[in-house]
mmCIF file with all atom_site columns, all heavy atoms in Angstrom:
data_model
loop_
_atom_site.group_PDB
_atom_site.id
_atom_site.type_symbol
_atom_site.label_atom_id
_atom_site.label_alt_id
_atom_site.label_comp_id
_atom_site.label_asym_id
_atom_site.label_entity_id
_atom_site.label_seq_id
_atom_site.pdbx_PDB_ins_code
_atom_site.Cartn_x
_atom_site.Cartn_y
_atom_site.Cartn_z
_atom_site.occupancy
_atom_site.B_iso_or_equiv
_atom_site.pdbx_formal_charge
_atom_site.auth_seq_id
_atom_site.auth_comp_id
_atom_site.auth_asym_id
_atom_site.auth_atom_id
_atom_site.pdbx_PDB_model_num
ATOM 1  N N   . LYS S 1 7   ? -15.515 -6.475  20.951  1.00 0.00 ? 7   LYS S N   1
ATOM 2  C CA  . LYS S 1 7   ? -14.887 -7.559  20.231  1.00 0.00 ? 7   LYS S CA  1
ATOM 3  C C   . LYS S 1 7   ? -13.392 -7.304  20.047  1.00 0.00 ? 7   LYS S C   1
ATOM 4  O O   . LYS S 1 7   ? -12.566 -8.204  20.208  1.00 0.00 ? 7   LYS S O   1
ATOM 5  C CB  . LYS S 1 7   ? -15.576 -7.722  18.868  1.00 0.00 ? 7   LYS S CB  1
ATOM 6  C CG  . LYS S 1 7   ? -14.956 -8.748  17.918  1.00 0.00 ? 7   LYS S CG  1
ATOM 7  C CD  . LYS S 1 7   ? -15.127 -10.151 18.460  1.00 0.00 ? 7   LYS S CD  1
ATOM 8  C CE  . LYS S 1 7   ? -14.645 -11.176 17.460  1.00 0.00 ? 7   LYS S CE  1
ATOM 9  N NZ  . LYS S 1 7   ? -14.664 -12.557 18.008  1.00 0.00 ? 7   LYS S NZ  1
ATOM 10 N N   . ASN S 1 31  ? -2.732  16.298  12.759  1.00 0.00 ? 31  ASN S N   1
ATOM 11 C CA  . ASN S 1 31  ? -2.773  17.426  11.787  1.00 0.00 ? 31  ASN S CA  1
ATOM 12 C C   . ASN S 1 31  ? -1.732  17.365  10.700  1.00 0.00 ? 31  ASN S C   1
ATOM 13 O O   . ASN S 1 31  ? -1.250  18.391  10.218  1.00 0.00 ? 31  ASN S O   1
ATOM 14 C CB  . ASN S 1 31  ? -2.699  18.767  12.549  1.00 0.00 ? 31  ASN S CB  1
ATOM 15 C CG  . ASN S 1 31  ? -3.862  18.962  13.483  1.00 0.00 ? 31  ASN S CG  1
ATOM 16 O OD1 . ASN S 1 31  ? -5.009  18.742  13.128  1.00 0.00 ? 31  ASN S OD1 1
ATOM 17 N ND2 . ASN S 1 31  ? -3.585  19.354  14.718  1.00 0.00 ? 31  ASN S ND2 1
ATOM 18 N N   . ASP S 1 39  ? -9.223  16.626  0.806   1.00 0.00 ? 39  ASP S N   1
ATOM 19 C CA  . ASP S 1 39  ? -8.328  17.770  0.967   1.00 0.00 ? 39  ASP S CA  1
ATOM 20 C C   . ASP S 1 39  ? -6.863  17.335  1.076   1.00 0.00 ? 39  ASP S C   1
ATOM 21 O O   . ASP S 1 39  ? -6.013  18.056  1.553   1.00 0.00 ? 39  ASP S O   1
ATOM 22 C CB  . ASP S 1 39  ? -8.715  18.626  2.185   1.00 0.00 ? 39  ASP S CB  1
ATOM 23 C CG  . ASP S 1 39  ? -8.826  17.817  3.454   1.00 0.00 ? 39  ASP S CG  1
ATOM 24 O OD1 . ASP S 1 39  ? -8.683  16.589  3.389   1.00 0.00 ? 39  ASP S OD1 1
ATOM 25 O OD2 . ASP S 1 39  ? -9.065  18.413  4.525   1.00 0.00 ? 39  ASP S OD2 1
ATOM 26 N N   . PHE S 1 59  ? 13.504  14.875  -8.097  1.00 0.00 ? 59  PHE S N   1
ATOM 27 C CA  . PHE S 1 59  ? 14.457  15.287  -7.095  1.00 0.00 ? 59  PHE S CA  1
ATOM 28 C C   . PHE S 1 59  ? 15.824  15.616  -7.698  1.00 0.00 ? 59  PHE S C   1
ATOM 29 O O   . PHE S 1 59  ? 16.431  16.636  -7.372  1.00 0.00 ? 59  PHE S O   1
ATOM 30 C CB  . PHE S 1 59  ? 14.632  14.200  -6.017  1.00 0.00 ? 59  PHE S CB  1
ATOM 31 C CG  . PHE S 1 59  ? 15.728  14.498  -5.044  1.00 0.00 ? 59  PHE S CG  1
ATOM 32 C CD1 . PHE S 1 59  ? 15.523  15.356  -3.971  1.00 0.00 ? 59  PHE S CD1 1
ATOM 33 C CD2 . PHE S 1 59  ? 17.012  13.945  -5.177  1.00 0.00 ? 59  PHE S CD2 1
ATOM 34 C CE1 . PHE S 1 59  ? 16.539  15.655  -3.079  1.00 0.00 ? 59  PHE S CE1 1
ATOM 35 C CE2 . PHE S 1 59  ? 18.041  14.229  -4.293  1.00 0.00 ? 59  PHE S CE2 1
ATOM 36 C CZ  . PHE S 1 59  ? 17.803  15.099  -3.249  1.00 0.00 ? 59  PHE S CZ  1
ATOM 37 N N   . TRP S 1 60  ? 16.305  14.765  -8.593  1.00 0.00 ? 60  TRP S N   1
ATOM 38 C CA  . TRP S 1 60  ? 17.639  14.957  -9.151  1.00 0.00 ? 60  TRP S CA  1
ATOM 39 C C   . TRP S 1 60  ? 17.697  16.034  -10.233 1.00 0.00 ? 60  TRP S C   1
ATOM 40 O O   . TRP S 1 60  ? 18.696  16.674  -10.420 1.00 0.00 ? 60  TRP S O   1
ATOM 41 C CB  . TRP S 1 60  ? 18.159  13.633  -9.700  1.00 0.00 ? 60  TRP S CB  1
ATOM 42 C CG  . TRP S 1 60  ? 18.472  12.661  -8.624  1.00 0.00 ? 60  TRP S CG  1
ATOM 43 C CD1 . TRP S 1 60  ? 17.777  11.514  -8.319  1.00 0.00 ? 60  TRP S CD1 1
ATOM 44 C CD2 . TRP S 1 60  ? 19.563  12.740  -7.668  1.00 0.00 ? 60  TRP S CD2 1
ATOM 45 N NE1 . TRP S 1 60  ? 18.357  10.867  -7.246  1.00 0.00 ? 60  TRP S NE1 1
ATOM 46 C CE2 . TRP S 1 60  ? 19.440  11.598  -6.807  1.00 0.00 ? 60  TRP S CE2 1
ATOM 47 C CE3 . TRP S 1 60  ? 20.594  13.626  -7.464  1.00 0.00 ? 60  TRP S CE3 1
ATOM 48 C CZ2 . TRP S 1 60  ? 20.356  11.355  -5.789  1.00 0.00 ? 60  TRP S CZ2 1
ATOM 49 C CZ3 . TRP S 1 60  ? 21.494  13.399  -6.428  1.00 0.00 ? 60  TRP S CZ3 1
ATOM 50 C CH2 . TRP S 1 60  ? 21.370  12.268  -5.608  1.00 0.00 ? 60  TRP S CH2 1
ATOM 51 N N   . LEU S 1 108 ? 6.441   9.750   14.323  1.00 0.00 ? 108 LEU S N   1
ATOM 52 C CA  . LEU S 1 108 ? 5.624   9.972   15.511  1.00 0.00 ? 108 LEU S CA  1
ATOM 53 C C   . LEU S 1 108 ? 5.455   8.702   16.363  1.00 0.00 ? 108 LEU S C   1
ATOM 54 O O   . LEU S 1 108 ? 5.252   8.787   17.569  1.00 0.00 ? 108 LEU S O   1
ATOM 55 C CB  . LEU S 1 108 ? 4.241   10.520  15.138  1.00 0.00 ? 108 LEU S CB  1
ATOM 56 C CG  . LEU S 1 108 ? 4.270   11.956  14.576  1.00 0.00 ? 108 LEU S CG  1
ATOM 57 C CD1 . LEU S 1 108 ? 2.846   12.415  14.230  1.00 0.00 ? 108 LEU S CD1 1
ATOM 58 C CD2 . LEU S 1 108 ? 4.875   12.941  15.582  1.00 0.00 ? 108 LEU S CD2 1
ATOM 59 N N   . VAL S 1 117 ? 9.762   -0.306  15.146  1.00 0.00 ? 117 VAL S N   1
ATOM 60 C CA  . VAL S 1 117 ? 8.969   0.336   14.092  1.00 0.00 ? 117 VAL S CA  1
ATOM 61 C C   . VAL S 1 117 ? 9.679   0.134   12.746  1.00 0.00 ? 117 VAL S C   1
ATOM 62 O O   . VAL S 1 117 ? 10.873  0.461   12.595  1.00 0.00 ? 117 VAL S O   1
ATOM 63 C CB  . VAL S 1 117 ? 8.842   1.862   14.352  1.00 0.00 ? 117 VAL S CB  1
ATOM 64 C CG1 . VAL S 1 117 ? 7.974   2.502   13.270  1.00 0.00 ? 117 VAL S CG1 1
ATOM 65 C CG2 . VAL S 1 117 ? 8.239   2.111   15.732  1.00 0.00 ? 117 VAL S CG2 1
ATOM 66 N N   . GLY S 1 122 ? 10.612  5.261   4.872   1.00 0.00 ? 122 GLY S N   1
ATOM 67 C CA  . GLY S 1 122 ? 11.651  6.098   5.410   1.00 0.00 ? 122 GLY S CA  1
ATOM 68 C C   . GLY S 1 122 ? 11.148  7.111   6.430   1.00 0.00 ? 122 GLY S C   1
ATOM 69 O O   . GLY S 1 122 ? 10.066  6.973   6.986   1.00 0.00 ? 122 GLY S O   1
ATOM 70 N N   . LEU S 1 125 ? 12.957  12.572  9.434   1.00 0.00 ? 125 LEU S N   1
ATOM 71 C CA  . LEU S 1 125 ? 13.897  12.926  10.507  1.00 0.00 ? 125 LEU S CA  1
ATOM 72 C C   . LEU S 1 125 ? 15.311  12.588  10.127  1.00 0.00 ? 125 LEU S C   1
ATOM 73 O O   . LEU S 1 125 ? 16.267  13.051  10.767  1.00 0.00 ? 125 LEU S O   1
ATOM 74 C CB  . LEU S 1 125 ? 13.499  12.195  11.784  1.00 0.00 ? 125 LEU S CB  1
ATOM 75 C CG  . LEU S 1 125 ? 12.080  12.454  12.322  1.00 0.00 ? 125 LEU S CG  1
ATOM 76 C CD1 . LEU S 1 125 ? 11.876  11.720  13.622  1.00 0.00 ? 125 LEU S CD1 1
ATOM 77 C CD2 . LEU S 1 125 ? 11.839  13.957  12.486  1.00 0.00 ? 125 LEU S CD2 1
ATOM 78 N N   . ILE S 1 227 ? -13.920 -1.792  11.535  1.00 0.00 ? 227 ILE S N   1
ATOM 79 C CA  . ILE S 1 227 ? -14.465 -0.652  12.287  1.00 0.00 ? 227 ILE S CA  1
ATOM 80 C C   . ILE S 1 227 ? -14.237 0.592   11.452  1.00 0.00 ? 227 ILE S C   1
ATOM 81 O O   . ILE S 1 227 ? -13.083 0.938   11.164  1.00 0.00 ? 227 ILE S O   1
ATOM 82 C CB  . ILE S 1 227 ? -13.831 -0.514  13.666  1.00 0.00 ? 227 ILE S CB  1
ATOM 83 C CG1 . ILE S 1 227 ? -14.003 -1.824  14.479  1.00 0.00 ? 227 ILE S CG1 1
ATOM 84 C CG2 . ILE S 1 227 ? -14.409 0.656   14.412  1.00 0.00 ? 227 ILE S CG2 1
ATOM 85 C CD1 . ILE S 1 227 ? -13.310 -1.803  15.839  1.00 0.00 ? 227 ILE S CD1 1
ATOM 86 N N   . VAL S 1 242 ? -2.356  -6.980  30.762  1.00 0.00 ? 242 VAL S N   1
ATOM 87 C CA  . VAL S 1 242 ? -1.269  -7.947  30.612  1.00 0.00 ? 242 VAL S CA  1
ATOM 88 C C   . VAL S 1 242 ? -1.761  -9.351  30.978  1.00 0.00 ? 242 VAL S C   1
ATOM 89 O O   . VAL S 1 242 ? -2.414  -9.512  31.975  1.00 0.00 ? 242 VAL S O   1
ATOM 90 C CB  . VAL S 1 242 ? -0.071  -7.598  31.542  1.00 0.00 ? 242 VAL S CB  1
ATOM 91 C CG1 . VAL S 1 242 ? 1.078   -8.548  31.338  1.00 0.00 ? 242 VAL S CG1 1
ATOM 92 C CG2 . VAL S 1 242 ? 0.374   -6.151  31.202  1.00 0.00 ? 242 VAL S CG2 1
#
Side-chain angles (χ1 to χ4, degrees):
K7 175 67 174 174
N31 297 314
D39 53 356
F59 173 80
W60 290 108
L108 291 180
V117 182
L125 302 183
I227 303 176
V242 182

